Amino acid sequence: MAAFVGRICGSGLLNSKNGVTLQKVQQFSTSRPWTRSQKLATAAGIAVGGAGALLYALEQSVSASGTEVHPPELPWSHKGVFNSLDHASVRRGYEVYKQVCAACHSMRFIAYRNLVGVSHTEAEAKAEAAEIMVQDGPDEAGNYFMRPGKLSDYFPSPYPNEEAARAANNGAYPPDLSYIALARHGGEDYLFALLTGYCDAPAGIVLRDGQYYNPYFPGGAISMAQALYNESAEYTDGTPASAAQLAKDVSTFLVWSADPCHDERKRMGIKSLGIILVLGSLAYYLKRHKWAALKTRKIAFYPKEK
């Protein structure tokens, strides 16, 4: 600091004879007052930045609670921008859900007609729907009756109501799986890790009756027992039914159920990019070779001589 003051004194800026230089320094050192629009813009920027920082901090505090292990990111075949779902895996995942998961979990937002063209043909989807019995009515006599399922029917719930579901699962309510891939942080990575991550509880973790330890579940204690083992389900296409294969297929099926328009959305994105590329090229050509001549022309006025 002393050296800085010495250089200023030695340069003559503070000399009383150098009034012009001192006046210039004072002019540059004084700032103009802010206008009202500048103050409002600055306040709005600070408010938006503060709100964004607060939301980020809250999201990090919730995600990084420290009570669970975060699932690793897996190389799913549908993760790419232009990659579609593996429809064979979706079909196998439906078989896993039907044979294993449907005993406890419902999918009340998925109808059998949604399977047509995705994992089943129309005849196969009708056969799947006909395996269930649905209450319908009333008939002409005012009575309700049971009938085989149709394509318009939704997947049946294993329990008549929430109370019955809790009573059958020691007070825990099995969540609906229709949108579970979007409702859980990590999506299919979390589902796969949860289904294959059961292990013995470490020292210091006390589990109550009917609870199991899974490090990927918040808190570690989960009421759902391990459901997927080797050969716990059977594939109609002959694929070896290992526990990892079952978890992978049912996770892919749940990704499709949460976003049935996944493939159509990406297909429309490809079409849109193609249209934008063509129109953008045409617009560049018109701007560069047609409009440029009109934009840069010079119009001169010459008054008529008398």
Side-chain angles (χ1 to χ4, degrees):
M1 185 64 184
F4 178 72
V5 174
R7 286 197 299 269
I8 292 178
C9 295
S11 62
L13 290 177
L14 300 182
N15 193 350
S16 59
K17 296 181 180 180
N18 199 356
V20 177
T21 306
L22 183 60
Q23 184 179 3
K24 291 183 179 180
V25 172
Q26 291 178 352
Q27 289 178 354
F28 284 110
S29 62
T30 56
S31 59
R32 293 179 298 175
W34 284 11
T35 62
R36 180 180 178 83
S37 59
Q38 290 177 333
K39 292 180 180 180
L40 292 177
T42 303
I46 294 175
V48 172
L54 178 61
L55 291 176
Y56 178 78
L58 292 176
E59 196 274 338
Q60 291 297 318
S61 65
V62 173
S63 300
S65 58
T67 60
E68 72 275 359
V69 179
H70 295 284
E73 186 174 354
L74 301 177
W76 298 91
S77 59
H78 57 269
K79 276 292 188 70
V81 178
F82 303 111
N83 294 340
S84 64
L85 289 168
D86 185 355
H87 288 242
S89 182
V90 173
R91 182 187 178 99
R92 292 193 299 268
Y94 167 75
E95 295 175 353
V96 176
Y97 167 78
K98 177 182 175 182
Q99 299 177 36
V100 181
C101 307
C104 298
H105 296 274
S106 62
M107 295 188 72
R108 59 191 181 93
F109 297 105
I110 301 299
Y112 286 96
R113 66 172 179 267
N114 299 128
L115 300 176
V116 178
V118 177
S119 58
H120 295 70
T121 63
E122 183 176 352
E124 291 174 339
K126 287 183 177 179
E128 291 291 331
E131 295 181 2
I132 65 172
M133 299 300 294
V134 181
Q135 186 181 30
D136 202 350
D139 55 13
E140 295 178 355
N143 300 321
Y144 287 90
F145 58 93
M146 303 299 292
R147 61 163 176 81
K150 300 183 297 185
L151 287 178
S152 58
D153 293 321
Y154 289 83
F155 289 5
S157 176
Y159 305 104
N161 49 61
E162 181 178 343
E163 288 71 19
R166 292 186 181 276
N169 294 277
N170 297 323
Y173 179 63
D176 185 88
L177 298 182
S178 301
Y179 298 101
I180 197 69
L182 297 179
R184 296 295 183 268
H185 183 71
E188 56 268 42
D189 294 330
Y190 168 78
L191 296 176
F192 181 86
L194 181 72
L195 293 173
T196 58
Y198 285 87
C199 60
D200 295 333
I205 302 297
V206 180
L207 301 177
R208 294 180 295 179
D209 294 338
Q211 288 187 334
Y212 308 88
Y213 183 74
N214 193 314
Y216 297 99
F217 188 77
I222 185 173
S223 297
M224 183 181 74
Q226 183 174 354
L228 300 182
Y229 298 92
N230 294 333
E231 306 298 333
S232 61
E234 183 178 354
Y235 289 134
T236 57
D237 61 356
T239 302
S242 63
Q245 183 69 44
L246 296 173
K248 179 257 184 185
D249 291 333
V250 75
S251 299
T252 304
F253 171 71
L254 294 177
V255 169
W256 166 80
S257 67
D259 187 11
C261 300
H262 178 274
D263 292 352
E264 183 64 23
R265 174 168 49 81
K266 290 188 176 181
R267 190 179 298 112
M268 290 300 297
I270 296 174
K271 294 179 181 178
S272 301
L273 289 178
I275 294 173
I276 292 174
L277 181 61
V278 173
L279 294 180
S281 302
L282 179 61
Y284 176 78
Y285 171 78
L286 293 176
K287 174 66 171 65
R288 184 68 179 84
H289 299 282
K290 299 296 183 181
W291 177 250
L294 300 176
K295 185 179 180 181
T296 58
R297 67 179 179 176
K298 181 179 180 181
I299 300 177
F301 174 72
Y302 297 98
K304 184 180 293 186
E305 297 180 358
K306 295 182 179 179

